[in-house]
């Protein structure tokens, strides 16, 4: 059995010769022998806490001087305590002591100082403990045994000491630490401060097979923790015989441990208690003395026998000293209230603390007294006492949700008592203590308070942060709770409350009430609104409609409308950006950031078949859209695409394909209704079939191929062939009976009554710049053809397109026969250098080698000096008119060329013409 729970200790009995030896040593070495008087021993307060738990009571030099004064010299061959040294080891810090740092050759005085400091135990008390247990302070021939069992820690009376705690340091450290353990866990030990304890005078004796206490006991009110610790360490009190012979033996029923501790301390260090008169006088000086705010004394120092307290009244306040709490002055902020309560004889009693500041809930101070506590804020001062005070502190006092008291305790018929606080009202009867939150008080008062429809609160106010935050409190009557939030204060009761709690209360999906329960006129139906929706109840059914659906639900006629009763709770879905849905029979209403939309019938079935809001198509973004084209159908828009229902079936379009499709007009476009869903191919690329064509998409291109040219496209090799990928929407042209141009990454496929042909590369760019099929070139009629040179040509209904590595030009039908007759791009005319000029009776165009003229007279070229002259006289608009034949050489030499109005001639140096 360790010192933590030892009922018997041999060393404390000190019977016979052992006692005489120990006491003789004390008397011989004490300067104040017989200073103690047994009549002064108080079993309820052996030593004051302020003295016992003073870890700075002595310095190393103080201790060494004290030890030197107790022993002049040691017997040869022995080491007295004043000369003892030990190489100490480290001891880890814990919750009770701050640990110990070891060092070589530390003196006993050093070890005693450091242990007292670490554990907060007076070095004076440790010296007394050492003497009480082993007599080492005054011993002149101590054995090693006394050092090993220094304080008797872990040394049961019925067996050997635990060797793990042997030695001077460990015995002293763990002995001192044990007193801190007692203080930390007072309810775990037999003797407790603040209670009346039964304490025996002598250990039990063994009689007839059992242990029996034969010397009696008495009830002792233990005033303080230090005294309780001494009894837990040495569990007996001295009887009258031991106290009458304070420095010797008592009788066979005497025990001496706690007597000797008190006597030794008193002999060596003076009183184990504080002199209240001196302490009160010192406190008065600290408060300003005779000239301070306390003013003149009104009484002498008075003693309160029931508590052992002392006090003195002054003009300005009261100073009191109590054994448990020391000396305190009633603070300036509390004096008026204290005296209004009756002063020292009133409801507060004596001060047991100084004023304490608390910054929470607006801030204020409080001061504790023997019968209650006074709290002071800018509102004034109020006392809280009795059970209300204990309950108040259990909540956290003024820092709690209840806040600061704002009124005095009031008694009501019942009886019960109330007291108001900034955070509510506290109610108390003989058995119950509970408060109602301030936010609920108006409604609670209207209900009749404790005797009303709500009855007693059954729990404190609960704070809930969810759904915007608020508070709630439950009550005993009517299965009711009150809720307070930004929406106001409302009661939820009976079935509504049970339903709300089943959904998680205010922290659940239904959230905070925003109205009281309302009965619908003429029917057995009740509703109550919450931040998360509206609850409907007909006495049998309880169900809510989510707040996000209420506008639509009300517009539909609520329960009497087309939707009827909700058949599910609101379901939260996190997928695709998140949202909620709720079922109403065959209809489901969906809500997300895109809006609120109802789906039913085939539309709902198709949507769910694709996974609903968790599927590929996500959340509805609009109402179904009807289209009359091609037998009609419906488009169902969603965040991930659109589902289309038509006579072709149901298919969806998503992603970039969807954006393209809707951009060209959706089902109303030439692409028509989707026939299939998107299909993935190696590459990768995707296709989707529509009634008007096939839509293609890869990571670069997006476009569609109309049904009319699909076969040609496939013939050309599809995406990997000559045309490559469709790159957009086909263009319709009205020229020459109409047709389309389908753009691809490698060219454009033109389909018309003239056939289906590809135009590619620079030729395509030039062709489209001219206006494509709507230009004078018209529709392509052949594929591109390569010629020596090389150069390329492609024929159109309105002419021919020519191209080589440096040139690109077209020649219209009116000039084409003549241009080819002159050798085209490799002939005398070369490449066109200008556009066609349409004149009144024909066309003219400039080329590198001359101008080509087409009229009713034929198509002929004019070049060189003749052309320059011809232009100078007005060309075809002159009287010379249009060329009517080729230039020929005649003798002279002369060159001549016929025109419709005459002849143009040249001798190589001069050009002239003749008319007629």
């Amino acid at each position: 059995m360790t010192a933590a729970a030892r009922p018997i200790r041999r060393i404390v009995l000190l019977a016979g010769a052992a006692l005489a030896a120990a006491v003789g040593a004390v008397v011989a070495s004490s300067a104040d022998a017989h200073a103690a008087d047994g009549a002064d021993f108080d079993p309820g307060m052996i030593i004051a806490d302020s003295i016992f738990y003073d870890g700075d009571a002595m310095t190393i030099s103080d201790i060494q001087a004290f030890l030197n004064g107790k022993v002049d010299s040691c017997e040869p061959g022995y080491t007295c305590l004043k000369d003892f040294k030990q190489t100490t080891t480290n001891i880890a810090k814990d919750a009770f002591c701050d640990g110990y740092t070891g060092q070589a050759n530390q003196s006993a005085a050093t070890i005693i100082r450091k242990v007292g400091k670490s554990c907060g135990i007076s070095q004076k008390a440790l010296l007394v403990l050492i003497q009480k247990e082993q007599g080492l302070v005054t011993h002149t021939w101590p054995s090693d045994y006394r050092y090993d069992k220094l304080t008797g820690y872990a040394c049961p009376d019925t067996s050997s000491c635990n060797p793990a705690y042997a030695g001077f340091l460990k015995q002293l450290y763990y002995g001192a630490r044990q007193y801190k353990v007692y203080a930390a866990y007072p309810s775990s030990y037999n003797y407790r401060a603040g209670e009346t304890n039964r304490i025996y005078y002598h250990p039990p004796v063994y009689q007839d097979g059992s242990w029996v206490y034969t010397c009696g006991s008495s009830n002792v009110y233990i005033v303080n923790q230090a005294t309780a610790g001494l009894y837990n360490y040495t569990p007996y009190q001295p009887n009258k015989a031991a106290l009458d012979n304070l420095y010797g033996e008592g009788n066979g029923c005497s025990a001496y441990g706690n007597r000797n501790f008190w006597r030794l301390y008193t002999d060596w260090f003076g009183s184990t208690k504080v002199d209240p008169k001196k302490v009160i006088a010192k406190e008065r000086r600290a408060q300003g003395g005779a000239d301070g705010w306390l003013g003149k004394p009104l009484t002498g120092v008075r003693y309160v026998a029931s508590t052992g307290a002392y006090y003195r009244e002054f003009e300005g306040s009261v100073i009191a000293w109590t054994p448990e709490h020391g000396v305190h002055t009633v603070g300036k902020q509390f004096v008026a209230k204290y005296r209004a309560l009756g002063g020292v004889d009133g409801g507060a009693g004596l001060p047991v603390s100084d004023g304490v500041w608390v910054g929470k809930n607006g801030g204020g101070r409080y001061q504790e007294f023997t019968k209650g506590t006074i709290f002071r804020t800018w509102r004034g001062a109020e006392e809280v006492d009795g059970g209300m005070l204990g309950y108040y502190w259990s909540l956290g006092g003024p820092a709690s949700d209840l806040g600061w008291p704002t009124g005095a305790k009031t008694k009501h018929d019942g009886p019960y008592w109330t007291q108001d606080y900034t955070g509510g009202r506290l109610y108390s009867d003989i058995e119950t203590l509970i408060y109602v939150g301030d936010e609920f008080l108006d409604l609670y008062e209207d209900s009749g308070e404790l005797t009303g429809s709500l009855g007693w609160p059954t729990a404190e106010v609960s704070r809930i942060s969810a759904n915007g935050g608020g508070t709630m409190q439950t009550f005993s009557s009517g299965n009711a709770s009150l809720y307070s939030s930004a929406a106001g204060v409302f009661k939820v009761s009976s079935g509504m409350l049970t339903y709300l709690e089943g959904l998680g209360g205010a922290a659940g999906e239904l959230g905070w009430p925003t109205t009281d329960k309302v009965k619908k006129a003429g029917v057995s139906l009740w509703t109550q609104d919450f931040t998360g929706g509206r609850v409907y109840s007909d006495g049998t059914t309880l169900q809510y409609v989510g707040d996000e659906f209420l506008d639509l639900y009300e517009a539909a006629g609520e329960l009497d409308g087309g939707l009827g009763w909700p058949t599910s709770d609101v379901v939260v879905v996190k997928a695709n950006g998140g949202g909620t849905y709720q079922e109403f029979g065959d209809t489901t209403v969906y809500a997300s950031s895109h809006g609120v939309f109802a789906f039913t019938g085939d539309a709902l079935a198709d949507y769910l078949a694709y996974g609903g809001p968790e599927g590929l198509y996500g959340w509805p973004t609009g109402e179904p859209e009807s289209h009359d084209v091609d037998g009609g159908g419906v488009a169902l828009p969603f965040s991930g695409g659109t589902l289309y229902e038509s006579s072709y079936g149901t298919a969806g379009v998503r992603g970039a394909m969807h954006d393209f499709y809707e951009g060209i007009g959706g089902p109303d476009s030439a692409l028509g209704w989707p026939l299939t869903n998107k299909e993935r191919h190696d590459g990768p690329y995707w296709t989707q079939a529509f009634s008007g064509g096939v839509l293609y998409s890869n990571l670069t291109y997006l476009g569609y191929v109309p049904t009319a040219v699909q076969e040609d496209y496939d013939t050309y090799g599809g995406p990997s062939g000559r045309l490559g990928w469709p790159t957009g929407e086909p263009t319709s042209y009205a020229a020459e009976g109409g047709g389309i141009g389908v753009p691809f990454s490698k060219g454009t496929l033109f389909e018309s009554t003239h056939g289906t042909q590809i135009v590619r590369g620079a030729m395509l760019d030039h062709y489209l710049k001219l206006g494509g099929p709507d230009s004078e070139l018209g529709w392509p009629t052949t594929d591109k053809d390569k010629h020596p040179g090389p150069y390329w040509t492609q024929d159109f209904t309105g002419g021919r397109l020519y191209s080589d590595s440096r040139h690109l030009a077209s020649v219209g039908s009116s000039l084409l026969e003549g241009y080819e007759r002159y050798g085209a791009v490799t002939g005398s005319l070369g490449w066109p250098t200008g556009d066609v000029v349409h004149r009144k009776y024909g066309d003219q165009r400039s080329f590198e080698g001359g101008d080509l003229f087409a009229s009713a007279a034929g198509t002929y070229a004019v070049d060189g000096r003749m052309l320059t002259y011809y232009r100078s006289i007005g060309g075809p608009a002159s009287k010379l008119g249009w060329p009517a034949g080729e230039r020929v050489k005649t003798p002279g030499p002369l060159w001549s060329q016929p025109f419709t109005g005459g002849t143009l001639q040249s001798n190589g140096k001069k050009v002239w013409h003749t008319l007629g």
Side-chain angles (χ1 to χ4, degrees):
M1 187 183 303
T2 69
R6 49 162 70 132
I8 304 173
R9 292 197 48 78
R10 288 194 303 271
I11 191 67
V12 304
L13 301 178
L14 291 174
L19 172 63
V23 171
V26 173
V27 172
S29 61
S30 175
D32 297 318
H34 297 78
D37 184 343
D40 295 330
F41 180 81
D42 180 357
M45 187 178 181
I46 299 173
I47 187 169
D49 287 352
S50 59
I51 295 174
F52 189 83
Y53 295 111
D54 180 6
D56 284 313
M58 299 177 77
T59 64
I60 295 174
S61 59
D62 290 339
I63 299 168
Q64 189 62 56
F66 176 83
L67 293 175
N68 291 341
K70 296 302 177 188
V71 173
D72 292 332
S73 62
C74 295
E75 295 294 330
Y78 294 93
T79 300
C80 295
L81 186 59
K82 71 183 182 72
D83 301 318
F84 176 81
K85 292 186 178 180
Q86 181 183 18
T87 295
T88 56
T89 56
N90 295 337
I91 299 177
K93 177 181 178 179
D94 62 13
F96 310 107
C97 297
D98 289 336
Y100 193 95
T101 302
Q103 191 175 345
N105 295 320
Q106 288 190 314
S107 67
T110 299
I111 296 171
I112 292 168
R113 163 64 187 178
K114 292 179 64 177
V115 168
K117 180 68 174 177
S118 175
C119 295
I121 302 296
S122 166
Q123 289 82 6
K124 294 178 181 179
L126 294 178
L127 287 166
V128 171
L129 180 65
I130 292 169
Q131 183 67 11
K132 174 175 82 76
E133 293 288 335
Q134 300 296 338
L136 264 177
V137 173
T138 59
H139 214 295
T140 59
W141 45 276
S143 65
D144 291 342
Y145 171 84
R146 294 181 185 271
Y147 286 104
D148 285 342
K149 294 185 63 176
L150 184 72
T151 62
Y153 181 82
C155 292
D157 294 306
T158 56
S159 62
S160 302
C161 297
N162 186 338
Y165 297 100
F168 189 86
L169 171 62
K170 290 184 178 180
Q171 279 285 299
L172 188 64
Y173 185 90
Y174 287 103
R177 178 181 177 276
Q178 187 60 42
Y179 286 98
K180 297 302 286 291
V181 175
Y182 294 145
Y185 302 103
S187 62
S188 298
Y189 298 93
N190 292 333
Y191 302 99
R192 302 170 189 174
E195 296 181 10
T196 298
N197 299 259
R198 184 180 184 185
I199 304 178
Y200 291 96
Y201 292 113
H202 193 277
V205 295
Y206 193 74
Q207 293 181 350
D208 299 328
S210 62
W211 292 93
V212 181
Y213 288 99
T214 61
C215 290
S217 64
S218 70
N219 290 328
V220 177
Y221 180 83
I222 298 178
V223 173
N224 65 324
Q225 180 57 47
T227 300
L230 288 174
Y231 280 120
N232 283 313
Y233 203 88
T234 306
Y236 303 101
Q237 62 170 316
N239 62 3
K240 186 175 184 302
L243 293 173
D244 287 344
N245 188 15
L246 194 59
Y247 291 88
E249 291 187 65
N251 58 26
C253 282
S254 293
Y256 303 94
N258 286 317
R259 182 202 74 167
N260 288 351
F261 182 94
W262 173 80
R263 188 205 67 210
L264 285 166
Y265 195 99
T266 302
D267 286 349
W268 286 354
F269 304 112
S271 174
T272 60
K273 297 182 180 180
V274 176
D275 182 348
K277 292 182 180 180
K278 292 180 180 179
V279 171
I280 289 174
K282 183 179 179 181
E283 173 69 7
R284 184 190 183 194
R285 290 193 296 272
Q287 297 292 344
D291 298 326
W293 70 278
L294 291 174
K296 295 177 181 179
L298 301 179
T299 68
V301 177
R302 294 178 176 175
Y303 175 66
V304 183
S306 61
T307 61
Y310 294 81
Y311 71 89
R312 191 175 191 186
E313 291 193 72
F314 296 85
E315 291 175 329
S317 189
V318 173
I319 299 176
W321 176 89
T322 62
E324 298 95 336
H325 304 286
V327 65
H328 298 285
T329 300
V330 179
K332 291 181 182 180
Q333 303 95 329
F334 308 101
V335 170
K337 184 65 178 180
Y338 180 66
R339 287 189 165 151
L341 292 169
V344 295
D345 297 319
L350 296 173
V352 296
S353 77
D354 292 330
V356 178
W357 168 260
V358 178
K360 295 290 184 68
N361 295 316
R365 294 182 180 275
Y366 71 86
Q367 186 168 14
E368 297 177 272
F369 295 82
T370 53
K371 298 179 182 178
T373 299
I374 298 176
F375 297 85
R376 176 65 185 263
T377 68
W378 61 269
R379 299 175 182 85
E382 300 294 343
E383 183 199 23
V384 184
D385 61 10
M388 282 188 168
L389 180 61
Y391 174 78
Y392 182 45
W393 280 122
S394 73
L395 296 175
S400 71
D401 287 342
L402 194 52
W404 296 88
T406 58
K409 182 168 64 175
T410 303
K411 185 177 181 181
H412 305 267
D413 292 338
Y416 69 92
W417 292 261
T418 63
Q419 187 166 17
D420 286 352
Y421 294 77
T422 56
R425 179 174 297 159
L426 183 55
Y427 292 82
S428 172
D429 64 5
I430 303 302
E431 298 179 349
T432 306
L433 272 160
I434 195 75
Y435 79 95
V436 175
D438 184 68
E439 60 269 47
F440 305 119
L441 269 180
D442 287 345
L443 193 153
Y444 189 56
E445 288 174 343
D446 291 343
S447 74
E449 294 187 274
L450 298 179
T451 58
S453 60
L454 288 169
W456 279 84
T458 57
E460 280 88 26
V461 173
S462 296
R463 290 194 175 275
I464 301 170
S465 60
N467 296 318
T471 57
M472 62 87 64
Q473 190 165 18
T474 59
F475 293 82
S476 60
S477 298
N479 187 28
S481 292
L482 299 183
Y483 293 83
S484 175
S485 69
V489 179
F490 302 99
K491 179 175 78 171
V492 184
S493 61
S494 303
M496 288 274 190
L497 180 60
T498 302
Y499 182 71
L500 173 64
E501 290 174 342
L503 292 172
E509 58 204 74
L510 199 48
W512 298 91
T514 59
T515 67
D516 289 319
K517 184 166 63 175
V518 177
K519 186 179 187 300
K520 294 287 186 180
V523 293
S524 182
L525 180 67
W526 292 263
T527 64
Q528 187 164 11
D529 286 358
F530 295 79
T531 54
R534 178 176 297 158
V535 178
Y536 294 82
S537 172
D538 63 2
T540 302
T541 303
L542 272 159
Q543 188 65 51
Y544 83 97
V545 175
D547 184 68
E548 59 269 48
F549 308 115
L550 270 180
D551 287 346
L552 185 149
Y553 190 59
E554 289 175 341
E558 294 186 278
L559 298 178
D560 297 327
L563 291 174
W565 278 87
T567 54
S568 78
D569 292 332
V570 174
V571 179
V572 177
V573 178
K574 295 182 179 180
N576 295 314
T580 57
Y581 70 85
Q582 189 167 17
E583 296 174 3
F584 298 83
D586 295 333
T587 301
T588 301
V589 185
Y590 297 88
S592 70
S593 60
H594 306 286
V596 181
F597 305 100
F599 280 75
T600 191
D602 292 341
L604 178 61
D606 289 335
Y607 179 40
L608 294 178
Y610 282 95
E614 296 180 278
L616 294 173
Y617 287 88
W619 295 92
T621 59
E623 300 290 348
E625 301 170 0
S626 295
H627 296 265
D628 296 330
V629 65
D630 195 10
V634 176
L636 308 175
F638 297 92
S639 58
T642 300
L643 289 176
Y644 299 89
E645 299 173 343
S646 70
S647 59
Y648 297 99
T650 300
V653 185
R654 299 189 299 114
M657 282 184 163
H658 173 267
D659 295 341
F660 175 85
Y661 179 52
E662 285 295 320
I664 65 174
D668 296 327
S669 71
L671 194 51
W673 293 97
L675 305 180
T676 66
N677 290 316
K678 182 168 60 175
E679 182 180 357
R680 190 178 191 275
H681 306 270
D682 292 338
Y685 72 95
W686 293 263
T687 61
Q688 187 164 7
F690 291 77
S691 59
V694 176
L695 186 57
Y696 290 78
S697 174
N698 68 1
L699 300 178
T700 304
Y701 300 107
L702 180 60
Y704 80 89
V705 179
T707 303
V709 299
Q710 184 68 52
E711 185 177 345
D712 295 297
Y713 181 53
D714 292 339
T715 299
Y716 285 121
S720 60
R722 289 180 62 196
L723 285 169
W725 295 94
T727 59
E729 180 184 9
T731 302
S732 295
Y733 298 95
E736 301 180 38
I740 57 172
V742 184
F744 293 87
S745 58
K746 297 179 181 179
T748 297
L749 187 63
F750 293 90
E751 190 268 341
S752 70
T753 56
H754 304 281
T756 302
Q757 300 293 340
I758 301 172
V759 183
R760 303 168 57 205
M763 282 187 167
L764 175 63
D765 295 339
H766 183 76
Y767 178 49
L768 294 177
K769 185 177 180 181
L770 293 175
D774 290 335
S775 70
E776 292 184 355
L777 271 181
W779 294 94
T781 57
T782 67
D783 203 350
K784 184 167 65 172
D785 189 21
K786 186 177 182 181
H787 304 272
Y791 72 95
W792 291 263
T793 62
Q794 185 164 8
D795 287 353
F796 294 80
T797 58
R800 181 172 293 160
L801 195 56
Y802 296 83
S803 172
D804 68 3
S805 60
R806 295 186 299 114
H807 303 90
L808 201 157
S810 62
V811 177
S813 299
S814 62
L815 299 171
L816 183 59
E817 181 275 329
Y819 184 54
E820 287 290 333
R821 189 176 72 247
Y822 286 105
V825 297
T826 59
S828 60
L829 288 174
W831 288 90
T833 58
D835 295 329
V836 175
V837 179
H838 297 290
R839 299 186 179 276
K840 187 173 182 179
Y841 298 107
D843 294 335
Q844 173 186 353
R845 190 169 188 185
S846 296
F847 292 82
E848 292 173 324
D851 283 8
L852 187 61
F853 299 86
S855 69
T859 302
Y860 301 101
V862 181
D863 60 8
R865 290 185 176 182
M866 282 186 164
L867 177 61
T868 302
Y869 178 84
Y870 182 47
R871 287 175 178 172
S872 69
I873 64 173
S878 68
K879 291 182 178 182
L880 194 57
W882 291 88
E886 300 289 352
R887 182 183 65 177
V888 296
K889 186 176 182 183
T890 58
L894 295 173
W895 285 267
S896 67
Q897 186 169 2
F899 288 76
T900 57
T903 302
L904 188 63
Q905 293 179 304
S906 172
N907 60 10
K909 294 182 179 180
K910 181 180 177 182
V911 179
W912 65 94
H913 75 277
T914 57
L915 298 175

